[in-house]
Amino acid sequence: MAGRLAGRTAVVTGGSAGIGQEIARRLASEGADIAVADVNPADETRELVAETGRRFLGDKVDITDEDAIHEFAARVRRDLGAADILVNNAAVVLLADFEHVTLDEWRRTFAVNVDGAFLATKAFLPDLKESGAGRIINITSSSYWTPPPPFVSYVSAKGALNGFTSVLAANLAAHDITVNGVAASLVRTATAAATTSEAFFEQTVRIQNIKRVQMPADVSGVVTFLASDDAAFITGQIIVADGGSTRR
Ligand SMILES: NC(=O)c1ccc[n+]([C@@H]2O[C@H](COP(=O)([O-])OP(=O)(O)OC[C@H]3O[C@@H](n4cnc5c(N)ncnc54)[C@H](O)[C@@H]3O)[C@@H](O)[C@H]2O)c1
């Protein structure tokens, strides 16, 4: 079966693990070839994409390194063709409340979560313009509206990413590129488990309408929809896929 994304090339930053890995697998299952930029090896993702029969390129790239991300964009173009879909997913979570957070932690969080999305978007913009159906999807967080105190730099960075999504949509509409965000609740990934606690998972489920822990597939389905032709008239939106923990 051809799939909704047949013939497209999708780039997923931070696609070696967690939500990014599931997004890569799901986009491939809908027919897209996949490129992953991650500081960690993408071997597992490579295997998952191979099972779908799609092509895969996984490179060790630090998305805060401007030269590295531009070189990666050139390799993607050479090996898979021009990118149609960019998922800005890579992130770090450094937990500290305002009184304890250091300037280095604040800057590191913004460097990966915000500058990384900015640099990846700059690097892939020529490809996305060429696509005719370009898609930029930023992975953000519903914690922006339900901020736990120790997430001061993370929530602030996700707020910046929400703003970037909004203004980028206005900038790029003339090039037939849509720009949207997906805001997840607390998702069961190795990083979330390592940086929080089971009690925090339970507390989060309590504030959701849907009384179960969110899984990566709850995010990847929304990303796939936004990447598809069905979402051609949606832009500048943050789709809050959080089981109803925020009621804006
Ligand atoms: N897990 C959650 O509870 C949750 C909730 C809401 C939103 N999110 C968002 O979803 C996305 C994925 O989260 P996750 O839990 O899967 O995290 P994760 O840590 O499992 O995955 C993040 C990936 O980004 C990579 N990465 C980190 N710094 C990088 C850099 N400088 N350059 C390239 N790659 C880099 C990591 O190696 C990792 O593979 C993030 O944007 C996160 O903020 C997560």
Side-chain angles (χ1 to χ4, degrees), residues 13-21 37-40 61-64 88-93 108 112-113 139-143 154 158 161 182-192 201 214:
T13 69
S16 291
I19 295 169
Q21 179 176 82
D38 199 302
V39 282
N40 285 316
V61 177
D62 182 339
I63 59 159
T64 67
N88 287 312
N89 164 82
V92 291
V93 189
R108 180 70 196 148
V112 179
N113 300 25
I139 306 303
T140 171
S141 170
S142 65
S143 64
Y154 179 81
K158 290 305 188 188
L161 197 55
V182 180
S185 179
L186 180 63
V187 180
R188 177 77 72 191
T189 64
T191 294
F201 275 97
Q214 186 170 17

Side-chain angles (χ1 to χ4, degrees), residues 14 36-37 50 63 65 85 93 104 107 112 114 185 188 245:
V36 162
I63 59 159
D65 179 336
I85 301 160
V93 189
D104 278 352
R107 284 184 172 152
V112 179
V114 185
S185 179
R188 177 77 72 191
S245 62

Side-chain angles (χ1 to χ4, degrees), residues 156-238:
S156 303
K158 290 305 188 188
L161 197 55
N162 292 346
F164 182 53
T165 303
S166 172
V167 74
L168 201 59
N171 272 252
L172 301 185
H175 300 291
D176 295 322
I177 299 171
T178 68
V179 188
N180 293 290
V182 180
S185 179
L186 180 63
V187 180
R188 177 77 72 191
T189 64
T191 294
T195 49
T196 65
S197 63
E198 274 312 305
F200 188 59
F201 275 97
E202 286 163 20
Q203 184 191 322
T204 304
V205 168
R206 271 201 295 280
I207 64 163
Q208 293 172 187
N209 289 329
I210 298 174
K211 301 296 181 195
R212 67 166 173 81
V213 172
Q214 186 170 17
M215 300 303 288
D218 295 315
V219 181
S220 66
V222 184
V223 171
T224 305
F225 164 67
L226 289 172
S228 76
D229 291 342
D230 291 336
F233 210 64
I234 300 176
T235 196
Q237 305 301 312
I238 306 293

